Amino acid sequence: MRRIAVVGGSIAALTAAQSLRAEGFLGQVTVLSDEPHQPYSRVPLSKGVLAGRESAKSALLPAPGEDIEFHAGARAVRLDVRGRAVTLADGTRVPYDGLVVATGARARRLTGGDDLVVRTLDDAVALGSRLAAARSAIVLGGGFLGMEVATTCRALGMEVTVVDLVPPLLRLLGPWLADLAVAAARDHGIRVRVAPDGLTVVDGHRVRCGESVLEADVVVCAVGDVPNTDWLRDSGLPLDAGGGLVADACCRVAPGVVAAGDVVSREGRRTPHWTNAVEQGRAAAASLLRGVSARPYRPDPYFWTEQSGLDIKISGELPLTGTPEVLAGSVAERSALLRWRHGDGTATAVAVNHRLPVVKLKRLGGGVPAAESAPPGSVAVGE
């Protein structure tokens, strides 16, 4: 194997490219990104960049390295698996011996393209300029992104309403933790509107919920994402019903093809989170080079979000049911270390405004059987 192409410019793509070198690959590594920027972190987009506290440049990640060819503005439009070549929008044909698909996902839109979203760096900059002159906002979608955007808008002094078909964060976190987060949002002045019968975007300022119409200066769409697999439709690679690229336990898709990040579907679902993208990028690179001797990818269910004065870190599977153990701190004061035990012997640990090294949080959760995790008495408050 002399040439490996990595399609995508996300953290998964960058990690995969750098991991190929770390694994000892000495051949050509070419990264093809459809965005005009060098790779960047999406983490600050809904927070500091959107609020104008941080510059767009602050989100950029270090350059891939001189021994990795990085091409910005190189959008893949077709994959020839048999001929082992990627065709770009300008007609350029890029041959490869090994391929990493890390094209990520794009924001799901409700009006066919005019929605204001926060997915890319350019999205955050464009929306930030609109928010600077706005006094009110409607945020469609009560997931992590929607609640983070709502928090940013509120911090800018805006009147904010979050609208979703179900209570915010319920499907992600489960009722107990979702209720805690929504209570904090309301305390910060964020209104919540549940629209079980659906909603309709009338225009850039109005949203219809049932018989009522909500109005605001800005309407932000944060209703999930869609995997970027349109360029793979005629490739013969396996796609699931939602468009995700189906990969096996070792991130393999086909001979000489692996995948990583938000584009990947494993066991019927995608996991579009930063930690997953990084770990899959490493696993995909190792699988491509090691072949049958590669170790299966072991998911690392670690998530975090900052919203409405809450810094929530989670290690373990979601959503959560029932009431947690309080290992440290106080739920009433919204500063606590919590744990949910599951029927299969695993656990999920959650730190809410509680300082604890990530490695210790993962010992308490992250799929590790509860019997193997640290006992409550071994965790000091404020560690």
Side-chain angles (χ1 to χ4, degrees):
M1 189 176 296
R2 296 180 297 108
R3 302 166 300 186
I4 295 179
V6 180
V7 184
S10 63
I11 187 65
L14 180 63
T15 301
Q18 294 174 331
S19 296
L20 289 169
R21 293 303 189 206
E23 290 280 339
F25 180 68
L26 300 178
Q28 178 181 328
V29 177
T30 303
V31 179
L32 306 169
S33 172
D34 68 342
E35 292 201 52
H37 315 285
Q38 70 187 63
Y40 57 86
S41 171
R42 298 190 194 279
V43 174
L45 299 190
S46 60
K47 307 173 187 69
V49 174
L50 187 60
R53 297 191 307 270
E54 302 175 24
S55 68
K57 288 185 177 180
S58 69
L60 298 179
L61 297 170
E66 295 181 358
D67 58 347
I68 295 174
E69 295 182 17
F70 181 82
H71 298 274
R75 182 168 64 91
V77 296
R78 184 173 181 273
L79 174 62
D80 180 357
V81 174
R82 183 171 297 180
R84 298 207 169 196
V86 175
T87 300
L88 305 181
D90 64 2
T92 301
R93 187 176 169 90
V94 181
Y96 66 83
D97 299 308
L99 176 68
V100 181
V101 178
T103 43
R106 61 188 181 276
R108 186 183 301 277
R109 298 173 185 270
L110 297 180
T111 63
D114 295 330
D115 310 75
L116 291 173
V117 298
V118 185
R119 178 71 194 185
T120 69
L121 185 58
D122 290 341
D123 289 338
V125 172
L127 178 57
S129 65
R130 292 285 298 274
L131 296 183
R135 292 180 296 178
S136 59
I138 296 171
V139 180
L140 305 179
F144 284 163
L145 178 61
M147 297 303 282
E148 289 173 2
V149 170
T151 299
T152 298
C153 291
R154 187 65 187 138
L156 291 172
M158 302 168 62
E159 294 183 1
V160 183
T161 302
V162 173
V163 183
D164 204 337
L165 305 182
V166 297
L169 300 170
L170 178 62
R171 286 175 292 197
L172 280 171
L173 300 179
W176 195 95
L177 196 54
D179 285 350
L180 181 72
V182 171
R186 287 192 166 118
D187 286 350
H188 275 69
I190 296 173
R191 302 187 185 96
V192 174
R193 178 70 176 266
V194 178
D197 297 325
L199 59 90
T200 303
V201 180
V202 179
D203 54 35
H205 301 284
R206 295 179 296 167
V207 176
R208 183 180 299 279
C209 301
E211 297 182 356
S212 62
V213 175
L214 306 179
E215 296 189 26
D217 294 334
V218 174
V219 176
V220 184
C221 187
V223 292
D225 58 14
V226 180
N228 288 322
T229 53
D230 291 351
W231 68 290
L232 300 173
R233 292 294 177 185
D234 300 323
S235 68
L237 296 183
L239 304 179
D240 68 10
L245 181 59
V246 179
D248 69 10
C250 294
C251 299
R252 291 182 295 242
V253 178
V257 181
V258 296
D262 295 0
V263 73
V264 174
S265 174
R266 297 180 71 252
E267 299 179 354
R269 69 171 185 169
R270 295 186 302 116
T271 309
H273 294 288
W274 189 89
T275 302
N276 180 71
V278 170
E279 296 301 327
Q280 276 193 345
R282 292 171 180 157
S287 181
L288 191 59
L289 297 180
R290 298 179 188 177
V292 295
S293 65
R295 294 181 179 178
Y297 164 67
R298 184 175 183 271
D300 181 8
Y302 175 71
F303 320 92
W304 77 89
T305 180
E306 296 175 7
Q307 53 183 268
S308 301
L310 300 181
D311 179 359
I312 303 175
K313 294 181 173 64
I314 303 167
S315 179
E317 294 296 336
L318 295 173
L320 303 165
T321 58
T323 302
E325 305 170 70
V326 179
L327 305 183
S330 166
V331 173
E333 296 178 4
R334 292 180 183 155
S335 177
L337 179 62
L338 312 168
R339 181 168 62 188
W340 280 258
R341 296 177 184 268
H342 308 307
D344 61 357
T346 63
T348 295
V350 178
V352 179
N353 290 342
H354 182 89
R355 292 180 57 192
L356 185 74
V358 173
V359 65
K360 292 191 175 183
L361 187 69
K362 289 185 176 183
R363 287 186 193 136
L364 290 169
V368 178
E372 298 178 11
S373 60
S378 68
V379 180
V381 178
E383 272 191 297

